Amino acid sequence: MGAGQGLRAKTRDLFSRGFRQKGVIPPSIYLRTLKIGDYVDIKVNSSIHKGFPYKYYQGKTGKVWNVTKRAVGVEVNKIVRGIQLKKRFHVRVEHVQPSRCREAFLLRRADNDKKRAEAKKKGEPVPFMKRQPVGPRDAFEVTGALETVTAIPYDIEKEV
């Protein structure tokens, strides 16, 4: 008999809770404020059986497009036959957490705004603010005494 092909097929490890993470979930999960436009990570909490997303969306990041009493509408990009589709679905708040995907961008933007304001205050041109890839490492010379290493011949007769 073949393997089952149901909605939760092959999710034994995918949806399992972590070590010492089992049991009652804290009330802080229900007290989070999620707004339209926020980015959230979909992370299924298997102790709450209602409002599960489909297993494909586990670990995906999406944008909130709707907020209801107990759930949020999430929009996630999904590639189907080479085409990127925007999928919209509702997930209960227990199965989402605020994403940290924009933290670095927001810090960089605030830093750039500060640099731009300082340059304007001093009357200087706006500094170059684009990110640059890390270049090659600096060259260096290897110093110290040279040591020659010779291979020891392998002898089959000694092994027997």
Side-chain angles (χ1 to χ4, degrees):
M1 197 163 145
Q5 300 297 318
L7 285 176
R8 291 198 207 168
K10 301 175 183 169
T11 60
R12 180 178 186 162
D13 294 327
L14 184 71
F15 288 161
S16 65
R17 309 271 323 263
F19 177 63
R20 294 175 66 184
Q21 300 298 313
K22 299 169 177 66
V24 180
I25 58 175
S28 60
I29 288 175
Y30 296 101
L31 298 174
R32 285 191 197 128
T33 304
L34 294 171
K35 298 176 183 172
I36 293 173
D38 287 353
Y39 284 90
V40 290
D41 295 330
I42 298 170
K43 187 178 177 185
V44 171
N45 185 339
S46 56
S47 65
I48 307 297
H49 296 172
K50 286 187 172 183
F52 259 43
Y54 182 64
K55 63 184 174 185
Y56 169 83
Y57 300 105
Q58 168 76 353
K60 300 281 188 271
T61 300
K63 203 172 187 178
V64 175
W65 65 274
N66 188 21
V67 179
T68 62
K69 190 164 43 171
R70 294 183 188 88
V72 290
V74 182
E75 185 175 72
V76 177
N77 291 331
K78 182 179 183 182
I79 297 173
V80 180
R81 297 192 189 122
I83 301 167
Q84 191 175 36
L85 303 174
K86 289 188 175 184
K87 307 288 278 187
R88 285 181 160 195
F89 52 92
H90 285 86
V91 185
R92 279 179 81 113
V93 292
E94 297 95 325
H95 307 301
V96 295
Q97 61 188 30
S99 181
R100 300 181 62 195
C101 66
R102 282 176 59 88
E103 276 184 9
F105 164 72
L106 294 173
L107 287 172
R108 197 173 72 249
R109 186 175 69 180
D111 189 42
N112 288 348
D113 289 344
K114 194 185 299 180
K115 287 179 186 175
R116 192 176 288 113
E118 287 175 9
K120 188 175 181 181
K121 192 175 178 182
K122 293 178 184 176
E124 298 173 353
V126 178
F128 185 76
M129 292 187 236
K130 288 192 174 180
R131 294 175 291 170
Q132 293 298 314
V134 179
R137 292 178 292 196
D138 293 333
F140 64 93
E141 285 187 23
V142 178
T143 57
L146 293 176
E147 181 183 341
T148 53
V149 180
T150 57
I152 301 170
Y154 179 71
D155 193 9
I156 295 175
E157 294 174 6
K158 284 185 178 178
E159 292 292 322
V160 177

